[in-house]
Amino acid sequence: MSAPTRESTRASVVPGYIRPAPSRQLGLPAWGWTVLILVAALVAIDISARFFASPLDIVPVTDMISTSLSLLTDPDFLIDELGRTLGIIVLAFVLSSVLGVAAAYVLWRYELWDRAFQPYLNVYYAVPTFALYPIMVVLFGAGVAPIAILSTIFAFGVVALNARTGFNAVSPIVTKLGKTLMLTRWQYFRSVLLPYALPSIVTGLKLGLSYAVISVLASEFILSTQGLGHFISIAYDGFDIADMYAGILIVALIALLSTSLISLALNRFDWRRR
């Protein structure tokens, strides 16, 4: 048995250490329990579908996987359904991220604007975003543009709110230090303000990606004539249960992979985790 390293010892015993050593429960780390729970849930669904449920209600997990694999090898599905949906998600996420952080900085920079827009940000999620779709169709026509705009608006709020929280959390002492060092506005933003607010911004970007995925798929399911959400809607209306659950499985994989990858990428910039 190897002796513990100095860093692992510090992480375990020093009070207030930011990232302690990972703990185990019953011999398994956290990711092991995640995998175990997922496998158990899939096995339970498969057994229920085979022996207890009607074929019109649910299909076995193995059938979902085989149908999903056949869809992922279909060029028409990859281009017209999956590719279109992924493109809109990426576009909505990038636009909401840039616009949300920029808006949060403007609100932090100008206190009058912050007070004026604070009530609107607080009730942002009470706004029925999908009710704006007819207006978007009139302004931009049917197709990608209305869904991309709605999804950007839907994800914009959570990014802006978290970035605004991060900017507002900057200590007045840090602000005075920037003035003492006579930093330019850009130097202060790049070297002081942004690193200080980055943990909150990272949280907002993670949530913004989740909101973009939800909004795009929901919009396609209800309003669109193309895309992965529309594919699931058509399968549901046509009682094509295998295709419907295969589409849902692909959606779950997209959400899991996208959020995991963006978390891994953004955590490298989070100074609390370094």
Side-chain angles (χ1 to χ4, degrees):
M1 181 176 179
S2 60
T5 63
R6 181 184 300 177
E7 289 299 323
S8 63
T9 303
R10 286 183 59 196
S12 302
V13 302
V14 176
Y17 198 82
I18 292 178
R19 199 174 188 187
S23 61
R24 289 174 172 264
Q25 294 292 335
L26 300 179
L28 286 178
W31 66 266
W33 282 106
T34 301
V35 174
L36 182 62
I37 292 172
L38 177 61
V39 172
L42 292 177
V43 170
I45 293 172
D46 193 271
I47 294 174
S48 175
R50 291 182 184 277
F51 300 105
F52 302 103
S54 168
L56 294 178
D57 295 331
I58 193 171
V59 298
V61 175
T62 52
D63 292 349
M64 298 181 197
I65 295 174
S66 62
T67 306
S68 300
L69 292 176
S70 65
L71 289 175
L72 293 175
T73 57
D74 183 0
D76 292 335
F77 176 83
L78 291 176
I79 296 173
D80 297 335
E81 314 296 346
L82 184 59
R84 182 181 188 272
T85 298
L86 291 178
I88 300 176
I89 289 173
V90 172
L91 178 61
F93 172 68
V94 171
L95 290 177
S96 62
S97 301
V98 174
L99 296 176
V101 174
Y105 175 75
V106 171
L107 294 178
W108 173 84
R109 183 73 176 80
Y110 302 99
E111 185 178 359
L112 179 61
W113 287 23
D114 185 49
R115 293 181 179 180
F117 283 94
Q118 184 175 356
Y120 300 103
L121 289 175
N122 291 337
V123 299
Y124 185 84
Y125 298 108
V127 177
T129 309
F130 294 109
L132 301 176
Y133 184 79
I135 300 175
M136 298 299 173
V137 171
V138 171
L139 295 177
F140 303 101
V144 173
I147 296 177
I149 294 172
L150 282 178
S151 302
T152 300
I153 294 173
F154 191 60
F156 166 84
V158 69
V159 176
L161 284 172
N162 280 273
R164 174 174 168 269
T165 300
F167 290 143
N168 287 337
V170 176
S171 173
I173 298 177
V174 177
T175 304
K176 292 179 180 179
L177 176 62
K179 294 179 179 178
T180 303
L181 297 175
M182 294 183 292
L183 300 178
T184 64
R185 186 174 300 176
W186 168 246
Q187 289 174 333
Y188 177 75
F189 177 81
R190 182 189 61 187
S191 303
V192 178
L193 183 63
L194 186 60
Y196 202 100
L198 193 57
S200 296
I201 294 175
V202 167
T203 301
L205 293 179
K206 293 177 186 178
L207 293 173
L209 177 61
S210 301
Y211 278 56
V213 172
I214 294 171
S215 180
V216 170
L217 291 169
S219 299
E220 289 179 342
F221 188 91
I222 301 173
L223 308 168
S224 179
T225 58
Q226 283 182 301
L228 184 55
H230 178 258
F231 175 84
I232 297 173
S233 175
I234 292 298
Y236 171 78
D237 292 337
F239 295 96
D240 193 344
I241 307 301
D243 278 355
M244 183 187 74
Y245 278 105
I248 294 173
L249 182 60
I250 293 174
V251 169
L253 290 176
I254 290 174
L256 178 63
L257 290 176
S258 60
T259 52
S260 299
L261 290 176
I262 197 67
S263 295
L264 289 175
L266 292 176
N267 285 342
R268 298 180 64 88
F269 299 98
D270 189 345
W271 54 265
R272 295 179 303 183
R273 297 178 178 268
R274 293 204 295 266

